[in-house]
């Protein structure tokens, strides 16, 4: 539901804010029902941290912006704080699951500036990301970034 809100399959609208809000609301309810579940906490944290970045994710041309180009002043700090708090509560001693791991990574992105990678390392990271990404728009974006990176440093 949350993924559909951020990448609508119909493309119109490109993002469904009401659906995203409902997905978060339902996940909050689930978290209240299962407070001991680190995966539910991780899912909620991931959703909050992702939603916090939304105001900066799409440029005026409608294209996705990479993390290193986002204007962090547009991020929703309250959602970031809520997501980080969930991660900090759930992660210590938890068996790492997919959502909790992704939430931990998103939390690190929210709290720290991203250091630039060397060109070779960055190209390899783009190739790995392309290989595991199933969303076609994200694959296209990653391929574009890889071509731009390769062209700039040949």
């Amino acid at each position: 539901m949350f993924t559909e809100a951020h990448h609508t399959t119909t493309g119109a609208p490109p993002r469904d804010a009401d659906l995203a809000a409902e997905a978060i609301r339902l996940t909050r309810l689930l978290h209240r029902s299962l407070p001991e579940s680190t995966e539910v906490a991780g899912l909620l944290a991931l959703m909050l941290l992702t939603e916090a970045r939304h105001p900066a994710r799409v440029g005026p041309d409608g294209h996705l912006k990479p993390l290193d180009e986002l204007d962090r002043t547009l991020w929703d700090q309250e959602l970031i704080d809520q997501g980080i708090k969930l991660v900090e509560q759930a992660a210590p001693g938890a068996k790492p699951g997919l959502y909790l791991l992704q939430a931990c990574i998103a939390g690190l992105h929210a709290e720290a500036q991203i250091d630039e990678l060397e060109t070779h390392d960055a190209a390899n990271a783009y190739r790995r990301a392309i290989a595991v990404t199933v969303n076609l728009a994200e694959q296209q974006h990653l391929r574009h970034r890889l071509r731009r990176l390769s062209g700039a440093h040949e």
Side-chain angles (χ1 to χ4, degrees), residues 2-121:
F2 187 76
T3 300
E4 176 64 21
H6 280 267
H7 303 286
T8 59
T9 52
T10 62
R15 177 179 181 274
D16 187 331
D18 291 337
L19 187 60
E22 181 65 5
I24 290 172
R25 186 187 74 78
L26 292 172
T27 306
R28 286 183 192 276
L29 288 173
L30 184 60
H31 178 60
R32 280 188 217 119
S33 297
L34 300 169
E36 72 289 343
S37 172
T38 58
E39 270 304 90
V40 172
L43 175 61
L44 180 55
L46 179 60
M47 292 167 73
L48 294 171
L49 292 165
T50 301
E51 188 68 10
R53 293 192 310 254
H54 172 70
R57 288 276 295 147
V58 179
D61 59 1
H63 291 114
L64 290 175
K65 295 175 92 175
L67 185 62
D68 63 334
E69 293 179 13
L70 298 185
D71 180 352
R72 290 172 177 256
T73 63
L74 299 176
W75 291 8
D76 184 324
Q77 191 60 49
E78 183 179 333
L79 292 179
I80 290 171
D81 292 344
Q82 291 173 28
I84 297 294
K85 183 177 178 181
L86 283 165
V87 167
E88 289 174 345
Q89 290 171 346
K95 179 179 178 186
L98 180 63
Y99 294 127
L100 184 55
L101 286 173
Q102 290 181 58
C104 289
I105 293 167
L108 290 173
H109 286 286
E111 291 184 314
Q113 297 294 327
I114 307 309
D115 294 332
E116 289 190 26
L117 296 174
E118 293 295 324
T119 303
H120 176 74
D121 294 335

Side-chain angles (χ1 to χ4, degrees), residues 13-14 28 112 135 138 143 154:
R28 286 183 192 276
N135 181 280
E138 289 176 2
R143 284 189 182 99
E154 288 181 352

